[in-house]
């Protein structure tokens, strides 16, 4: 049911979450003996991050097709939001642990992959508001019968 606005928000959230699998999350520059080396944190380098990223990419797609059961759709959207929050916290822990490496990175920047889950979180919130609005509409119509 792509004709509903919350389905569009869920689809965009799934696309953004799938983009995490493609883009780097964090890039570092390390200078060792005068040689500048580049490093990156990717989802595919860490198994728990990969597992959470796949879950947070699939949950919004599955949620689109639960349009008959709005309560379950709200629960699945909330679960997707929890998955994104856990992914973001895991990313922050991994970036924080970079300072403990033997030659610590001299500088680092967050990359595109770290911004995509935050935007997807906003889209999931907007989808949840749309699902709740539909649920209120259906309940009000049932009262009129």
């Amino acid at each position: 049911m792509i004709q509903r606005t919350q389905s569009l928000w869920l689809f965009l959230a799934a696309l953004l979450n799938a983009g995490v699998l493609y883009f780097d999350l964090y890039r570092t520059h390390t200078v060792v003996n005068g040689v500048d080396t580049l490093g990156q944190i990717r989802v595919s380098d860490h198994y728990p991050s990969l597992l959470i990223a796949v879950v947070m990419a699939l949950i919004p797609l599955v949620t689109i097709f639960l349009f008959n059961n709005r309560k379950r759709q709200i629960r699945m959207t909330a679960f997707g939001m929890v998955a994104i929050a856990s992914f973001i916290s895991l990313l922050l822990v991994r970036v924080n642990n970079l300072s403990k490496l033997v030659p610590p990175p001299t500088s680092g920047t967050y990359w595109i992959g770290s911004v995509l889950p935050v935007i997807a979180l906003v889209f999931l919130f907007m989808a949840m508001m749309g699902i709740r609005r539909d649920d209120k509409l259906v309940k009000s119509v049932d009262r009129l019968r």
Side-chain angles (χ1 to χ4, degrees):
M1 295 279 309
I2 299 293
Q3 66 217 25
R4 297 167 45 214
T5 57
Q6 59 267 22
S7 298
L8 181 67
W9 296 128
L10 289 168
F11 183 71
L12 289 174
L15 283 178
L16 290 175
N17 288 335
V20 168
L21 299 169
Y22 180 73
F23 294 109
D24 293 339
L25 299 173
Y26 192 79
R27 289 193 179 175
T28 62
H29 296 280
T30 306
V31 178
V32 179
N33 296 332
V35 177
D36 187 23
T37 59
L38 296 173
Q40 69 259 1
I41 293 179
R42 298 187 63 103
V43 171
S44 59
D45 297 339
H46 190 241
Y47 184 71
S49 295
L50 180 65
L51 184 64
I52 293 173
V54 168
V55 166
M56 69 183 205
L58 289 178
I59 291 294
L61 284 178
V62 171
T63 306
I64 291 173
F65 298 104
L66 296 175
F67 56 87
N68 289 334
N69 191 347
R70 283 174 299 282
K71 290 193 185 288
R72 183 177 290 162
Q73 200 174 26
I74 288 173
R75 274 190 259 125
M76 292 287 285
T77 305
F79 181 70
M81 293 170 84
V82 168
I84 290 175
S86 64
F87 180 80
I88 292 171
S89 64
L90 186 64
L91 171 66
L92 292 175
V93 167
R94 286 180 65 195
V95 169
N96 191 24
N97 286 339
L98 283 178
S99 63
K100 297 175 185 172
L101 294 176
V102 174
T106 56
S107 66
T109 57
Y110 288 95
W111 204 243
I112 298 168
S114 62
V115 176
L116 294 178
V118 176
I119 299 169
L121 189 64
V122 171
F123 286 165
L124 284 180
F125 181 74
M126 292 170 68
M128 185 176 283
M129 292 299 111
I131 296 166
R132 284 187 179 161
R133 189 174 51 239
D134 274 0
D135 198 29
K136 283 183 180 179
L137 180 66
V138 168
K139 285 181 182 179
S140 71
V141 170
D142 284 345
R143 268 185 267 153
L144 291 175
R145 285 189 209 175

mmCIF file of all heavy atoms in Angstrom, residues 4-32:
data_model
loop_
_atom_site.group_PDB
_atom_site.id
_atom_site.type_symbol
_atom_site.label_atom_id
_atom_site.label_comp_id
_atom_site.label_asym_id
_atom_site.label_seq_id
_atom_site.Cartn_x
_atom_site.Cartn_y
_atom_site.Cartn_z
ATOM 1 N N ARG A 4 -0.463 5.266 0.845
ATOM 2 C CA ARG A 4 -0.566 5.949 2.133
ATOM 3 C C ARG A 4 0.750 6.655 2.425
ATOM 4 O O ARG A 4 1.822 6.165 2.089
ATOM 5 C CB ARG A 4 -0.887 4.926 3.221
ATOM 6 C CG ARG A 4 -2.228 4.274 2.999
ATOM 7 C CD ARG A 4 -2.481 3.056 3.841
ATOM 8 N NE ARG A 4 -2.100 3.225 5.224
ATOM 9 C CZ ARG A 4 -1.609 2.241 5.955
ATOM 10 N NH1 ARG A 4 -1.412 1.053 5.432
ATOM 11 N NH2 ARG A 4 -1.297 2.444 7.211
ATOM 12 N N THR A 5 0.675 7.804 3.086
ATOM 13 C CA THR A 5 1.896 8.582 3.316
ATOM 14 C C THR A 5 2.853 7.860 4.258
ATOM 15 O O THR A 5 4.067 7.939 4.066
ATOM 16 C CB THR A 5 1.553 9.965 3.899
ATOM 17 O OG1 THR A 5 0.801 9.805 5.094
ATOM 18 C CG2 THR A 5 0.782 10.796 2.905
ATOM 19 N N GLN A 6 2.316 7.131 5.241
ATOM 20 C CA GLN A 6 3.217 6.430 6.153
ATOM 21 C C GLN A 6 3.963 5.316 5.438
ATOM 22 O O GLN A 6 5.095 4.995 5.806
ATOM 23 C CB GLN A 6 2.511 5.911 7.392
ATOM 24 C CG GLN A 6 1.384 4.969 7.157
ATOM 25 C CD GLN A 6 0.060 5.679 7.084
ATOM 26 O OE1 GLN A 6 -0.003 6.864 6.806
ATOM 27 N NE2 GLN A 6 -1.012 4.956 7.327
ATOM 28 N N SER A 7 3.369 4.742 4.399
ATOM 29 C CA SER A 7 4.081 3.732 3.622
ATOM 30 C C SER A 7 5.255 4.354 2.887
ATOM 31 O O SER A 7 6.312 3.741 2.754
ATOM 32 C CB SER A 7 3.141 3.067 2.621
ATOM 33 O OG SER A 7 2.099 2.401 3.298
ATOM 34 N N LEU A 8 5.076 5.569 2.423
ATOM 35 C CA LEU A 8 6.177 6.280 1.772
ATOM 36 C C LEU A 8 7.292 6.573 2.767
ATOM 37 O O LEU A 8 8.474 6.386 2.459
ATOM 38 C CB LEU A 8 5.654 7.578 1.149
ATOM 39 C CG LEU A 8 6.680 8.427 0.414
ATOM 40 C CD1 LEU A 8 7.163 7.710 -0.823
ATOM 41 C CD2 LEU A 8 6.095 9.775 0.063
ATOM 42 N N TRP A 9 6.933 7.000 3.986
ATOM 43 C CA TRP A 9 7.956 7.262 5.010
ATOM 44 C C TRP A 9 8.694 5.982 5.379
ATOM 45 O O TRP A 9 9.912 5.992 5.574
ATOM 46 C CB TRP A 9 7.330 7.891 6.247
ATOM 47 C CG TRP A 9 6.729 9.237 6.050
ATOM 48 C CD1 TRP A 9 5.464 9.613 6.390
ATOM 49 C CD2 TRP A 9 7.341 10.398 5.480
ATOM 50 N NE1 TRP A 9 5.263 10.932 6.052
ATOM 51 C CE2 TRP A 9 6.399 11.432 5.495
ATOM 52 C CE3 TRP A 9 8.598 10.656 4.949
ATOM 53 C CZ2 TRP A 9 6.665 12.700 5.007
ATOM 54 C CZ3 TRP A 9 8.877 11.920 4.459
ATOM 55 C CH2 TRP A 9 7.914 12.918 4.489
ATOM 56 N N LEU A 10 7.960 4.881 5.486
ATOM 57 C CA LEU A 10 8.591 3.601 5.814
ATOM 58 C C LEU A 10 9.531 3.144 4.705
ATOM 59 O O LEU A 10 10.629 2.631 4.972
ATOM 60 C CB LEU A 10 7.527 2.534 6.084
ATOM 61 C CG LEU A 10 6.730 2.686 7.371
ATOM 62 C CD1 LEU A 10 5.528 1.756 7.365
ATOM 63 C CD2 LEU A 10 7.607 2.440 8.572
ATOM 64 N N PHE A 11 9.132 3.344 3.462
ATOM 65 C CA PHE A 11 9.982 2.955 2.336
ATOM 66 C C PHE A 11 11.255 3.800 2.292
ATOM 67 O O PHE A 11 12.353 3.279 2.066
ATOM 68 C CB PHE A 11 9.204 3.076 1.017
ATOM 69 C CG PHE A 11 9.983 2.633 -0.179
ATOM 70 C CD1 PHE A 11 10.263 1.289 -0.369
ATOM 71 C CD2 PHE A 11 10.443 3.556 -1.109
ATOM 72 C CE1 PHE A 11 10.996 0.872 -1.470
ATOM 73 C CE2 PHE A 11 11.169 3.151 -2.206
ATOM 74 C CZ PHE A 11 11.444 1.803 -2.396
ATOM 75 N N LEU A 12 11.118 5.102 2.519
ATOM 76 C CA LEU A 12 12.305 5.965 2.537
ATOM 77 C C LEU A 12 13.233 5.604 3.691
ATOM 78 O O LEU A 12 14.467 5.619 3.543
ATOM 79 C CB LEU A 12 11.884 7.434 2.625
ATOM 80 C CG LEU A 12 11.251 8.021 1.370
ATOM 81 C CD1 LEU A 12 10.741 9.434 1.642
ATOM 82 C CD2 LEU A 12 12.229 8.018 0.217
ATOM 83 N N ALA A 13 12.664 5.254 4.840
ATOM 84 C CA ALA A 13 13.487 4.828 5.977
ATOM 85 C C ALA A 13 14.228 3.537 5.646
ATOM 86 O O ALA A 13 15.406 3.380 6.003
ATOM 87 C CB ALA A 13 12.618 4.644 7.215
ATOM 88 N N ALA A 14 13.572 2.616 4.949
ATOM 89 C CA ALA A 14 14.235 1.368 4.566
ATOM 90 C C ALA A 14 15.379 1.636 3.588
ATOM 91 O O ALA A 14 16.448 1.023 3.691
ATOM 92 C CB ALA A 14 13.223 0.408 3.947
ATOM 93 N N LEU A 15 15.166 2.549 2.648
ATOM 94 C CA LEU A 15 16.239 2.902 1.699
ATOM 95 C C LEU A 15 17.429 3.533 2.416
ATOM 96 O O LEU A 15 18.592 3.208 2.129
ATOM 97 C CB LEU A 15 15.713 3.855 0.632
ATOM 98 C CG LEU A 15 14.879 3.251 -0.477
ATOM 99 C CD1 LEU A 15 14.404 4.345 -1.434
ATOM 100 C CD2 LEU A 15 15.651 2.200 -1.233
ATOM 101 N N LEU A 16 17.159 4.445 3.333
ATOM 102 C CA LEU A 16 18.247 5.086 4.068
ATOM 103 C C LEU A 16 18.994 4.082 4.939
ATOM 104 O O LEU A 16 20.223 4.125 5.037
ATOM 105 C CB LEU A 16 17.710 6.232 4.914
ATOM 106 C CG LEU A 16 17.236 7.456 4.130
ATOM 107 C CD1 LEU A 16 16.613 8.464 5.078
ATOM 108 C CD2 LEU A 16 18.360 8.078 3.360
ATOM 109 N N ASN A 17 18.256 3.177 5.567
ATOM 110 C CA ASN A 17 18.908 2.169 6.390
ATOM 111 C C ASN A 17 19.724 1.197 5.539
ATOM 112 O O ASN A 17 20.764 0.708 5.978
ATOM 113 C CB ASN A 17 17.881 1.413 7.222
ATOM 114 C CG ASN A 17 17.333 2.260 8.340
ATOM 115 O OD1 ASN A 17 17.974 3.195 8.793
ATOM 116 N ND2 ASN A 17 16.134 1.927 8.781
ATOM 117 N N ALA A 18 19.278 0.917 4.328
ATOM 118 C CA ALA A 18 20.063 0.069 3.432
ATOM 119 C C ALA A 18 21.320 0.801 2.960
ATOM 120 O O ALA A 18 22.342 0.173 2.672
ATOM 121 C CB ALA A 18 19.220 -0.361 2.241
ATOM 122 N N GLY A 19 21.268 2.130 2.896
ATOM 123 C CA GLY A 19 22.444 2.907 2.509
ATOM 124 C C GLY A 19 23.579 2.798 3.506
ATOM 125 O O GLY A 19 24.747 3.000 3.173
ATOM 126 N N VAL A 20 23.256 2.439 4.750
ATOM 127 C CA VAL A 20 24.277 2.245 5.775
ATOM 128 C C VAL A 20 25.196 1.084 5.390
ATOM 129 O O VAL A 20 26.382 1.092 5.704
ATOM 130 C CB VAL A 20 23.598 1.996 7.142
ATOM 131 C CG1 VAL A 20 24.572 1.517 8.180
ATOM 132 C CG2 VAL A 20 22.908 3.253 7.601
ATOM 133 N N LEU A 21 24.643 0.103 4.683
ATOM 134 C CA LEU A 21 25.444 -1.041 4.267
ATOM 135 C C LEU A 21 26.439 -0.675 3.170
ATOM 136 O O LEU A 21 27.431 -1.371 2.967
ATOM 137 C CB LEU A 21 24.533 -2.165 3.772
ATOM 138 C CG LEU A 21 23.555 -2.726 4.800
ATOM 139 C CD1 LEU A 21 22.542 -3.627 4.131
ATOM 140 C CD2 LEU A 21 24.313 -3.461 5.881
ATOM 141 N N TYR A 22 26.200 0.423 2.470
ATOM 142 C CA TYR A 22 27.041 0.809 1.347
ATOM 143 C C TYR A 22 28.082 1.863 1.720
ATOM 144 O O TYR A 22 29.232 1.782 1.299
ATOM 145 C CB TYR A 22 26.140 1.321 0.206
ATOM 146 C CG TYR A 22 26.900 1.745 -1.012
ATOM 147 C CD1 TYR A 22 27.491 0.818 -1.841
ATOM 148 C CD2 TYR A 22 27.036 3.095 -1.328
ATOM 149 C CE1 TYR A 22 28.198 1.208 -2.960
ATOM 150 C CE2 TYR A 22 27.744 3.497 -2.434
ATOM 151 C CZ TYR A 22 28.323 2.553 -3.252
ATOM 152 O OH TYR A 22 29.032 2.947 -4.343
ATOM 153 N N PHE A 23 27.703 2.859 2.483
ATOM 154 C CA PHE A 23 28.593 3.980 2.785
ATOM 155 C C PHE A 23 29.424 3.730 4.035
ATOM 156 O O PHE A 23 29.041 2.964 4.911
ATOM 157 C CB PHE A 23 27.782 5.271 2.976
ATOM 158 C CG PHE A 23 27.085 5.745 1.741
ATOM 159 C CD1 PHE A 23 25.714 5.659 1.635
ATOM 160 C CD2 PHE A 23 27.808 6.266 0.683
ATOM 161 C CE1 PHE A 23 25.071 6.099 0.493
ATOM 162 C CE2 PHE A 23 27.181 6.709 -0.463
ATOM 163 C CZ PHE A 23 25.798 6.622 -0.557
ATOM 164 N N ASP A 24 30.563 4.428 4.115
ATOM 165 C CA ASP A 24 31.390 4.387 5.322
ATOM 166 C C ASP A 24 30.673 5.122 6.450
ATOM 167 O O ASP A 24 29.917 6.058 6.221
ATOM 168 C CB ASP A 24 32.737 5.077 5.088
ATOM 169 C CG ASP A 24 33.610 4.329 4.097
ATOM 170 O OD1 ASP A 24 33.382 3.123 3.899
ATOM 171 O OD2 ASP A 24 34.536 4.951 3.540
ATOM 172 N N LEU A 25 30.975 4.703 7.685
ATOM 173 C CA LEU A 25 30.385 5.362 8.843
ATOM 174 C C LEU A 25 31.315 6.440 9.400
ATOM 175 O O LEU A 25 30.869 7.498 9.822
ATOM 176 C CB LEU A 25 30.086 4.333 9.932
ATOM 177 C CG LEU A 25 29.106 3.231 9.555
ATOM 178 C CD1 LEU A 25 29.036 2.195 10.659
ATOM 179 C CD2 LEU A 25 27.750 3.802 9.260
ATOM 180 N N TYR A 26 32.605 6.151 9.418
ATOM 181 C CA TYR A 26 33.579 7.063 10.033
ATOM 182 C C TYR A 26 34.904 6.884 9.305
ATOM 183 O O TYR A 26 35.293 5.762 8.984
ATOM 184 C CB TYR A 26 33.729 6.713 11.514
ATOM 185 C CG TYR A 26 34.472 7.727 12.336
ATOM 186 C CD1 TYR A 26 33.854 8.883 12.771
ATOM 187 C CD2 TYR A 26 35.799 7.521 12.687
ATOM 188 C CE1 TYR A 26 34.520 9.804 13.545
ATOM 189 C CE2 TYR A 26 36.479 8.437 13.466
ATOM 190 C CZ TYR A 26 35.838 9.581 13.892
ATOM 191 O OH TYR A 26 36.501 10.497 14.657
ATOM 192 N N ARG A 27 35.598 7.971 9.052
ATOM 193 C CA ARG A 27 36.918 7.921 8.401
ATOM 194 C C ARG A 27 37.961 8.566 9.303
ATOM 195 O O ARG A 27 37.708 9.605 9.910
ATOM 196 C CB ARG A 27 36.890 8.633 7.057
ATOM 197 C CG ARG A 27 36.107 7.874 6.025
ATOM 198 C CD ARG A 27 36.334 8.416 4.656
ATOM 199 N NE ARG A 27 35.566 7.643 3.684
ATOM 200 C CZ ARG A 27 35.489 7.946 2.418
ATOM 201 N NH1 ARG A 27 36.110 9.006 1.949
ATOM 202 N NH2 ARG A 27 34.784 7.201 1.601
ATOM 203 N N THR A 28 39.121 7.926 9.377
ATOM 204 C CA THR A 28 40.198 8.417 10.232
ATOM 205 C C THR A 28 41.452 8.672 9.408
ATOM 206 O O THR A 28 41.666 8.072 8.351
ATOM 207 C CB THR A 28 40.551 7.383 11.322
ATOM 208 O OG1 THR A 28 41.011 6.184 10.701
ATOM 209 C CG2 THR A 28 39.373 7.095 12.209
ATOM 210 N N HIS A 29 42.290 9.581 9.925
ATOM 211 C CA HIS A 29 43.616 9.850 9.376
ATOM 212 C C HIS A 29 44.618 9.588 10.488
ATOM 213 O O HIS A 29 44.519 10.158 11.566
ATOM 214 C CB HIS A 29 43.743 11.305 8.911
ATOM 215 C CG HIS A 29 42.827 11.652 7.792
ATOM 216 N ND1 HIS A 29 43.103 11.325 6.490
ATOM 217 C CD2 HIS A 29 41.628 12.272 7.778
ATOM 218 C CE1 HIS A 29 42.119 11.746 5.715
ATOM 219 N NE2 HIS A 29 41.199 12.328 6.480
ATOM 220 N N THR A 30 45.586 8.723 10.194
ATOM 221 C CA THR A 30 46.611 8.398 11.170
ATOM 222 C C THR A 30 47.970 8.676 10.537
ATOM 223 O O THR A 30 48.230 8.248 9.417
ATOM 224 C CB THR A 30 46.532 6.914 11.590
ATOM 225 O OG1 THR A 30 45.214 6.645 12.034
ATOM 226 C CG2 THR A 30 47.505 6.600 12.692
ATOM 227 N N VAL A 31 48.828 9.373 11.272
ATOM 228 C CA VAL A 31 50.180 9.653 10.795
ATOM 229 C C VAL A 31 51.150 8.789 11.594
ATOM 230 O O VAL A 31 51.273 8.932 12.813
ATOM 231 C CB VAL A 31 50.526 11.154 10.949
ATOM 232 C CG1 VAL A 31 51.950 11.407 10.493
ATOM 233 C CG2 VAL A 31 49.539 12.004 10.179
ATOM 234 N N VAL A 32 51.800 7.862 10.903
ATOM 235 C CA VAL A 32 52.792 6.983 11.523
ATOM 236 C C VAL A 32 54.097 7.122 10.738
ATOM 237 O O VAL A 32 54.150 6.831 9.547
ATOM 238 C CB VAL A 32 52.312 5.511 11.510
ATOM 239 C CG1 VAL A 32 53.363 4.603 12.128
ATOM 240 C CG2 VAL A 32 50.989 5.380 12.218
#
